[in-house]
């Protein structure tokens, strides 16, 4: 059959017209050809030609030879043979003689109009039209084109000679064409699908279009030139335009798509809700053949056929260790349950040993994806990889009967199991994905590398992350390759979590890193205790505690202190693990700070004298903590180091006396702190109050927190002193009155008010290191009380009265000179009680407070407005109180005083 074309002789007894009645057999006669043997009969006219493409229409035939010539024969009434006959009138189909006049009995060469001869390479026929494809990828058509099936840009009843198809300019050259009843499918060299012709049943796959009149989706009946089938999702590998107004296309991945007329359910689509299975207007994959590799398919009047041969598409994993035993899954199509299934592994001919080039086999087992029903979707063969002694590539093939292996095969890479040496870092935060490097030997890139972190103890959880091969920066390291991955992010668990690390170059065969565990933590630093420390010229500062959670002991952890305003200089030290919530470290000394500022390469020797003469007294550092030596925790804290406060370095900016009941707000200023530290520092600062003279009164020291209100300024409220806890000595000079109240007992407790109690104020900015830094002490005094007011006049109810400029004396208990004695005057009238309060300077002499009545303009104005009087003596009743500390605290009681004025 290689030398020419052969036709099968068929005999139909009782038919009026015999096979070959239109000359379509090319035997040179229209009569019936009878041969009892029903053998092949040679078309002798083409015996000297090698035919490379053959196609048959309803009653005509077309052949393309190896030289690119096109021969046609048979009926040409519609122009399908491509020859112009003498009588070119329309063929009268009812007149047998007229039809016989346009019949070509023997093959005849078709002349394609072109400037140069274009050899043909392929042909396809519809019932009454012909399309050929030249080697340059140009399609030509002739014959009947009533439905636009010729693709020449118009509908034509008869095209007797070849006409060039209107192939799109933006498409690459045409590679394949197939014809249906009146529609055509073709694809170009880029595997893009095109169609044209009759489209009543959607066989062109162009979908529905929207009508401009009623906005309804309608179908275009005819397409007279090739159009791209944009709804096809992939690349075309095979196409079939069935004569029953249907279409079938196989994609490159082997998936089959059908559309068009769904009569007799030939398209193979299931009855699905919302899916019209009668006619399908867009390419749709055949559900029963999804995930299967279809090699060829055809549609008939009553159904369809698809051939799915046994084939191997890919392997999982694609790389396996040479030691064997790995489960290998070969995915493909055309597999079924078979007890004789065998998988053969054939090495490439690269080995020097003859034994290594011999194939090795393994028993296979039919499997389907988990959850998929048998017979639907992709299928596979599962087997165990046999052992090999050297690294190489092998081909895997499958034989369902144990002897006939698939022609398709996949390549599998063999490698030696790696040896893991170390991991960097040894711990990571569980909340952030950090880079992790695993160093070892025999590492290679497979695009399937996985790293597993398996929990030791606890719930024995494991986390698997993808990884890539990377090169180490140190070229002198014999272990020059490593695996890079991201650490897993974990939300729950008993932190810190210890995990064993393993690497699988193929994603399934894990090799464990021995003698080393990886720690996943959620460590957080919360605060420093204290957040500042005093510095001494010749001693090391006391340790500072880092408070947080989920700490663990690690030889890689480090504290980094970066000097504020000089980020290029830093100080590193290793903290000491105390417990899960506490770490401790020693801050740098003055000498180390100076060395840090000057630089580590500075050759100057830092002396104590240099430090003492330094103008700067405070240094603010930003503290960061790393537990693995690589990644720092997210939060950073400020640490202030300052020179020890000396005598006179504290300035009082408020009253330094107040009552035993406490509540006096005091402010201290440290102007020597230069530059001023940040406001968030000194959260540990406290002040301690203790008796100045322990011989006169014994009382436990009281510690109060200091609050930093602004740069260098601190404030606190004095605590309450319980008089019942004071032990009084008989030698006390300042507590004589209290001593007399104890009936002469030299040492006893008392509950009566005392006159005053001097307390030393000691400040510890770090909450621990105290010193007497105030030039004056704070004086507690008993609650003063007003007993009598003496003035020049009294009213009928014996209330003293005075006009402006009159001297007034106030007698009471607990008065003494503090330098801040004030008289507080305010109205006793209800509507004016909350009006302005007048604070008047006064002096205390021998327990008597004296002041001069000022002019109170507020009361003058109030009297003139409501109602006005002319030169009348008026008065306004006032409440009088005494304050010994500048108005911060007042006496426990008040007395009346009438203010006299003329309105």
């Amino acid at each position: 059959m290689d030398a020419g074309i052969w036709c099968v002789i068929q005999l139909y007894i009782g038919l009026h017209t015999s096979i070959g009645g239109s000359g379509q057999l090319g035997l040179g006669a229209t009569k019936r050809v009878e041969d009892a043997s029903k053998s092949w009969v040679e078309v002798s006219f083409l015996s000297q030609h090698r035919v490379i493409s053959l196609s048959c229409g309803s009653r005509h035939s077309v052949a393309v030879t190896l030289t690119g010539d096109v021969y046609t024969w048979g009926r040409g009434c519609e122009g399908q043979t491509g020859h112009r006959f003498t009588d070119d009138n329309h063929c009268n189909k009812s007149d047998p003689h007229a039809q016989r006049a346009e019949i070509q009995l023997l093959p005849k060469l078709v002349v394609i109009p072109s400037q140069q001869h274009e050899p043909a390479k392929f042909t396809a026929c519809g019932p009454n039209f012909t399309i050929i494809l030249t080697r340059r990828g140009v399609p030509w058509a002739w014959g009947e084109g009533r439905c636009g099936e010729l693709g020449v840009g118009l509908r034509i009843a008869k095209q007797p000679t070849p006409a060039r198809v209107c192939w799109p300019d933006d498409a690459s050259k045409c590679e394949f064409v197939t014809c249906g009843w009146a529609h055509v499918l073709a694809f170009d060299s880029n595997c893009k699908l095109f169609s044209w012709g009759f489209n009543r049943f959607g066989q062109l796959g162009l979908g529905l279009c929207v009508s401009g009149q009623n906005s309804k989706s309608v179908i275009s009946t005819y397409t007279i030139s090739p159009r791209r089938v944009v709804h096809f999702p992939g690349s075309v590998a095979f196409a079939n335009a069935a004569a029953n107004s249907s279409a079938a296309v196989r994609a490159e991945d082997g998936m089959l798509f059908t559309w068009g007329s769904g009569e007799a359910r030939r398209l193979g689509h299931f009855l699905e809700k919302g899916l019209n299975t009668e006619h399908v207007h867009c390419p749709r994959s055949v559900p029963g053949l999804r995930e299967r590799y279809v090699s060829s398919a055809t549609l008939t009047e009553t159904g369809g056929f698809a051939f799915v041969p046994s084939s191997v598409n890919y392997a999982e994993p694609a790389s396996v260790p040479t030691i064997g035993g790995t489960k290998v899954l070969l995915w493909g199509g055309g597999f079924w349950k078979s007890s004789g299934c065998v998988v053969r592994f054939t090495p490439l001919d690269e080995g020097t040993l003859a034994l290594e080039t011999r194939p090795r086999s393994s028993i296979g087992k039919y499997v389907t994806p988990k959850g998929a029903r048998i017979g639907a979707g992709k299928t596979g063969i599962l087997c165990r990889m046999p052992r090999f002694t050297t690294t190489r590539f092998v081909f895997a093939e499958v034989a369902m009967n144990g002897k006939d292996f698939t022609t398709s095969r996949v390549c599998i890479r063999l490698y030696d199991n790696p040896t893991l040496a170390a991991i960097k870092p040894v711990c990571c935060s569980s909340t952030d994905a950090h880079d992790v490097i695993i160093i070892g030997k025999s590492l290679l890139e497979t695009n399937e590398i996985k790293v597993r972190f398996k929990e030791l103890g606890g719930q024995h959880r494991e986390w698997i992350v993808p990884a890539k091969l990377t090169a180490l920066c140190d070229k002198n390291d014999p272990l020059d390759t490593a695996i890079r991955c991201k650490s897993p992010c974990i939300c729950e668990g008993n932190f810190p979590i210890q995990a064993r690390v393993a690497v699988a170059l193929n994603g399934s065969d894990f090799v464990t890193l021995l003698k080393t565990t990886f720690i996943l933590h959620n460590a957080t630093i919360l605060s420093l205790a204290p957040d500042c420390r005093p510095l001494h010229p010749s001693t090391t500062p006391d340790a500072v505690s880092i408070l947080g959670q989920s700490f663990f002991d690690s030889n890689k952890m480090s504290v980094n202190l970066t000097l504020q305003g000089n980020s290029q200089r830093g100080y590193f030290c290793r903290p000491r693990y105390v417990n899960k919530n506490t770490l401790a470290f020693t801050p740098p000394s003055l000498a180390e700070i100076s060395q840090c500022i000057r630089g580590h390469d500075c050759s100057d020797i830092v002396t104590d004298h240099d430090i003492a003469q330094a103008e700067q007294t405070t240094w603010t550092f930003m503290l960061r903590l790393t537990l693995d030596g690589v990644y720092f925790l997210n939060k950073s804290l400020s640490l202030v180091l300052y020179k020890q406060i000396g005598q006179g370095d504290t300035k009082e900016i408020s009253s330094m006396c107040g009552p035993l009941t406490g509540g006096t707000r005091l402010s201290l200023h440290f102007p020597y702190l230069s530059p001023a530290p940040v406001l968030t520092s000194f959260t540990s600062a406290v002040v301690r109050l203790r008796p100045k003279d322990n011989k006169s009164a014994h009382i436990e020291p009281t510690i109060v927190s200091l609050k930093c209100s602004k740069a260098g300024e601190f404030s606190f409220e004095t605590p309450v002193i319980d008089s019942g806890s004071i032990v009084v000595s008989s030698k006390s000079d300042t507590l004589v009155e209290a001593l007399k109240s104890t009936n002469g007992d030299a040492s006893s407790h008392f509950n009566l008010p005392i006159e005053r109690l001097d307390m030393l104020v000691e400040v510890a900015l770090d909450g621990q290191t105290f010193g007497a830094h105030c030039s004056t002490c704070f004086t507690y005094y008993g609650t003063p009380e007003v007993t009598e007011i003496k003035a020049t006049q009294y009213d009928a109810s014996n209330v003293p009265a005075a006009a402006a400029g009159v001297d007034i004396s106030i007698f009471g208990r607990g008065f003494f000179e503090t330098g801040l004695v004030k008289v507080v005057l305010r109205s006793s009238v209800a509507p004016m009680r909350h009006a302005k309060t007048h604070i008047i300077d006064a002096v205390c002499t021998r327990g008597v407070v004296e002041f001069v009545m000022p002019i109170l303009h507020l009361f003058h104005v109030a009297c003139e407005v409501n109602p006005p009087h002319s030169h009348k003596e008026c008065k306004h009743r006032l409440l009088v109180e005494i304050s010994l500390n500048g108005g911060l605290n007042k006496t426990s009681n008040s007395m009346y005083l009438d203010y006299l004025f003329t309105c």
Side-chain angles (χ1 to χ4, degrees), residues 253-256 270 285-294 308-311 313-314 329-337 366-381:
D253 59 359
M255 186 175 293
L256 183 64
F270 295 149
S285 62
V286 179
L289 297 175
R290 290 172 185 167
E291 304 291 344
R292 291 173 179 262
Y293 188 87
V294 177
V308 183
S310 297
S311 60
N313 299 337
Y314 61 96
L329 189 54
L330 303 176
W331 292 108
F335 299 145
W336 66 89
K337 286 187 177 181
Y366 174 78
V367 294
T368 58
K370 187 176 181 180
R373 60 185 178 88
I374 297 178
K378 68 177 182 180
T379 57
I381 299 297

Side-chain angles (χ1 to χ4, degrees), residues 632-674:
F632 289 97
L633 301 186
N634 291 336
K635 189 175 182 179
S636 60
L637 301 173
S638 62
L639 173 68
V640 176
L641 300 179
Y642 59 94
K643 286 185 179 180
Q644 179 63 50
I645 301 175
Q647 186 68 26
D649 289 334
T650 304
K651 179 182 179 182
E652 304 84 4
I653 57 178
S654 61
S655 173
M656 294 304 292
C657 62
L660 288 172
T661 54
T664 303
R665 188 170 187 83
L666 303 179
S667 295
L668 303 176
H669 185 59
F670 301 96
Y672 89 106
L673 293 178
S674 175

Side-chain angles (χ1 to χ4, degrees), residues 220-234:
S220 178
T221 307
Y222 306 103
T223 299
I224 58 178
S225 60
R227 289 180 58 186
R228 168 82 185 279
V229 183
V230 297
H231 299 290
F232 186 72

Side-chain angles (χ1 to χ4, degrees), residues 62 188 199 205 310 378 385 429 445 481 499 520 624-625 694:
V62 183
D188 63 6
N199 193 35
S310 297
K378 68 177 182 180
M385 189 71 187
S429 171
E445 182 59 72
T481 57
L520 292 163
R624 296 188 301 168
L625 174 66
N694 288 328

Side-chain angles (χ1 to χ4, degrees), residues 436-462:
V436 176
I437 303 296
I438 303 171
I439 306 171
K441 296 181 180 179
S442 301
L443 298 174
L444 53 91
E445 182 59 72
T446 63
N447 295 323
E448 298 177 313
I449 304 177
K450 296 288 189 298
V451 176
R452 181 182 68 193
F453 299 84
K454 190 171 184 179
E455 183 179 11
L456 296 178
Q459 304 177 20
H460 298 284
R461 296 172 296 176
E462 62 180 39

Side-chain angles (χ1 to χ4, degrees), residues 223-284:
T223 299
I224 58 178
S225 60
R227 289 180 58 186
R228 168 82 185 279
V229 183
V230 297
H231 299 290
F232 186 72
S235 299
V236 182
F238 167 82
N240 177 24
N244 52 25
S245 298
S246 303
V249 169
R250 177 175 65 86
E252 280 187 337
D253 59 359
M255 186 175 293
L256 183 64
F257 294 80
T258 60
W259 64 93
S261 175
E263 185 180 358
R265 307 204 181 278
R266 65 173 68 93
L267 301 181
H269 296 158
F270 295 149
L271 286 173
E272 300 178 9
K273 185 177 180 181
L275 176 63
N276 183 2
T277 58
E278 188 66 25
H279 304 308
V280 179
H281 304 104
C282 297
R284 189 183 299 276

